[in-house]
Amino acid sequence: MNLAYLHSLVPARQQLLRALGIALLPLALAACDSGSSTGGDQSPEAPVVTPPVTEEPEPPRTTAYLDSKAGDVIKVRIEELHPTQAAIGYDQVYYKLGRWQGDLDRPTWAKDPKQQLDYLNRTIGKKFDDYCEDMGGTERAQKFLTIAEVQAARLDQPTTYLCKDPLGSQTENLKTVVVGWDGNLYLTDGHHTFSSLREIPDGGPKLPVWVKVSANYSDIRDAPSFWERMNKEKLVWLRDGENQTITVEQLPTRVGLANEKEAGGMQDDRYRSLVYFTRDIAYNNGNLPEYAEFLWGDWLRRQVVTGYWAGLDDYKMAYPATPTQILAASTLSKSLQSTGASDSYVAAVRDASLVMSALSDNELVFEDRDAATLGRIALEADAPSGSPTKEARDTLEELPRNDVKSDGSPRGAGKLWFAVNYRSCGKPSAGTCWGW
């Protein structure tokens, strides 16, 4: 091979190696710096990006009542009231719905407009009396003077009736609420009243009502702390209709009876209904602690467990028993001996009343609440007229009484008579099982 030719290739080869060395230099340097034990500065790590810290947004709050103070009277709609108990006594609501809906076409007194008007004032008029009283207006300014006035009057049309005092002015009669952590109103008294008003045709969820603020806990900013405070203050009843413990998440979202068309209603507690009908027989209702009737109901259930009382399953209280069987008279003699039917709804009220009354005042009913605190009436044998015992016996006898006197004129019927007939027959009207 020509030597001169070989020498001519050397510069070209050197140029190629020089180029390759320059190209590979960064890779070699990187290899030396990447964790070499012989030293050398490490290349800077990629910066760690930390997302900005953002506070959890507060849940939306109802602002209308945040500034309300204890003692304030506020006008609200029934749909704004949140229950603090899971159940009510349906029969207490049925009593109201039966009593408040007299039959405008009832033939019983068709030939005597005066007696017909008397009957309507005792029934439909009672609805306005109760509303005026419960809303702080005392009572109706006057009874209905004509049947036309009765026909025109509606709760949801305030110009059709008049209360004696301005609504909200007599605060001792108002039901109570607590302003909650979320600004909503939590009802601590009046679940039966507002449930009845919600169910009546001229009431409903948007009916205006007046309530009194008993406390404002909106400075508590989370639900668990709020409910802990409510529980500590004994302002919530966490039992269902069967008296089983529930959580606050299981409370209903509205007052009123449960039904298939509308979610969120309240359960039925049969013992709560029973205790309502023992009112003024076994206990007085004035100045009782919150949920007193549930405390009595819990106590009565425990008497069943211990065998001290038979319990409601031993009585004819609902279908297939007939209204006549359910309402069979059961009374107490002057010597406090049980007389009349032994298995009717009235008998259940009588027997429960005797068990409740047998307590001494200082015996505990529920936790630290004794019988005296819960209004217990001490029934006494051979008590004279005008005594609490005689009044209690009279109240018991009135429970199943119908609304017609022996001379054919109208009278105020018993609470249980209204409740059982409404539950069985619906709204009072001619041609139904009410009997006319």
Side-chain angles (χ1 to χ4, degrees):
M1 182 175 291
N2 189 319
L3 187 60
Y5 172 73
L6 292 174
H7 283 293
S8 67
L9 293 177
V10 171
R13 184 171 178 268
Q14 290 175 337
Q15 291 176 0
L16 177 61
L17 291 173
R18 188 181 296 114
L20 288 172
I22 293 171
L24 294 172
L25 180 59
L27 295 176
L29 292 173
C32 293
D33 288 340
S34 60
S36 170
S37 61
T38 59
D41 294 334
Q42 294 184 349
S43 59
E45 296 181 358
V48 177
V49 179
T50 303
V53 177
T54 57
E55 294 183 0
E56 286 286 333
E58 287 191 356
R61 308 179 85 201
T62 301
T63 59
Y65 310 113
L66 289 179
D67 295 330
S68 298
K69 303 180 298 296
D72 284 354
V73 174
I74 54 178
K75 178 183 177 183
V76 302
R77 301 181 307 276
I78 289 179
E79 64 187 355
E80 296 180 82
L81 302 172
H82 294 252
T84 54
Q85 63 192 51
I88 51 178
Y90 276 23
D91 284 344
Q92 181 176 340
V93 175
Y94 293 149
Y95 154 61
K96 291 290 187 180
L97 295 178
R99 177 73 183 270
W100 288 351
Q101 298 186 83
D103 181 9
L104 286 162
D105 300 316
R106 182 170 175 175
T108 310
W109 300 284
K111 296 180 180 180
D112 191 335
K114 183 178 179 181
Q115 289 191 349
Q116 184 82 334
L117 185 61
D118 181 12
Y119 156 72
L120 293 174
N121 268 305
R122 292 175 181 273
T123 52
I124 296 176
K126 174 66 172 172
K127 173 178 62 178
F128 295 96
D129 286 335
D130 288 350
Y131 183 77
C132 289
E133 179 181 358
D134 291 331
M135 300 307 122
T138 307
E139 59 187 7
R140 277 185 299 163
Q142 64 178 20
K143 293 183 177 181
F144 295 121
L145 301 179
T146 66
I147 293 178
E149 286 183 12
V150 183
Q151 293 171 322
R154 291 182 58 92
L155 287 176
D156 54 6
Q157 296 179 13
T159 59
T160 63
Y161 64 94
L162 182 65
C163 297
K164 181 179 179 180
D165 296 307
L167 296 179
S169 63
Q170 304 304 312
T171 60
E172 66 275 8
N173 295 329
L174 295 176
K175 309 305 180 184
T176 52
V177 296
V178 166
V179 181
W181 70 281
D182 50 5
N184 288 322
L185 301 177
Y186 291 86
L187 191 64
T188 57
D189 177 38
H191 290 81
H192 289 80
T193 293
F194 294 122
S195 291
S196 301
L197 290 170
R198 196 183 194 281
E199 299 293 332
I200 202 76
D202 56 338
K206 298 191 181 300
L207 183 71
V209 293
W210 281 254
V211 293
K212 181 169 59 177
V213 177
S214 61
N216 187 332
Y217 295 151
S218 61
D219 58 330
I220 302 174
R221 304 308 288 266
D222 64 90
S225 299
F226 167 70
W227 288 112
E228 182 180 357
R229 177 68 178 274
M230 291 286 283
N231 195 48
K232 180 181 178 181
E233 300 291 337
K234 295 182 171 61
L235 295 176
V236 59
W237 179 250
L238 295 177
R239 305 280 185 94
D240 65 13
E242 297 297 325
N243 204 42
Q244 298 301 305
T245 302
I246 62 170
T247 65
V248 293
E249 290 78 17
Q250 294 173 288
L251 287 171
T253 57
R254 63 171 179 84
V255 298
L257 309 181
N259 62 72
E260 295 179 354
K261 296 181 180 179
E262 184 182 12
M266 306 186 75
Q267 301 174 26
D268 181 25
D269 184 335
R270 294 192 304 155
Y271 279 82
R272 175 60 180 78
S273 290
L274 174 73
V275 173
Y276 172 70
F277 293 116
T278 68
R279 183 180 294 181
D280 298 324
I281 305 171
Y283 75 101
N284 289 312
N285 190 43
N287 299 316
L288 297 185
E290 306 292 359
Y291 312 108
E293 289 88 353
F294 285 107
L295 307 187
W296 276 119
D298 175 85
W299 183 84
L300 285 169
R301 283 179 163 102
R302 282 185 274 122
Q303 307 319 298
V304 178
V305 173
T306 59
Y308 190 57
W309 180 50
L312 295 184
D313 291 340
D314 277 17
Y315 299 90
K316 296 175 180 176
M317 302 184 68
Y319 182 84
T322 66
T324 299
Q325 292 173 316
I326 297 169
L327 292 169
S330 303
T331 60
L332 287 171
S333 69
K334 189 173 182 180
S335 61
L336 298 186
Q337 296 300 307
S338 297
T339 62
S342 61
D343 60 354
S344 65
Y345 200 147
V346 191
V349 174
R350 177 196 63 198
D351 296 347
S353 296
L354 287 172
V355 173
M356 294 162 70
S357 177
L359 286 169
S360 61
D361 278 348
N362 61 358
E363 285 188 86
L364 295 180
V365 174
F366 187 90
E367 295 179 349
D368 60 343
R369 316 293 179 85
D370 60 27
T373 302
L374 296 179
R376 172 248 184 186
I377 296 174
L379 299 179
E380 300 175 350
D382 302 315
S385 297
S387 65
T389 297
K390 180 60 168 66
E391 293 174 359
R393 291 172 53 222
D394 290 345
T395 300
L396 175 64
E397 290 184 4
E398 290 170 2
L399 286 178
R401 187 177 67 184
N402 65 27
D403 62 351
V404 183
K405 293 180 182 179
S406 58
D407 64 2
S409 61
R411 66 179 176 188
K415 292 179 178 179
L416 201 52
W417 183 82
F418 277 113
V420 171
N421 277 286
Y422 184 87
R423 170 156 46 95
S424 302
C425 311
K427 177 182 176 180
S429 60
T432 67
C433 60
W434 283 84
W436 61 82

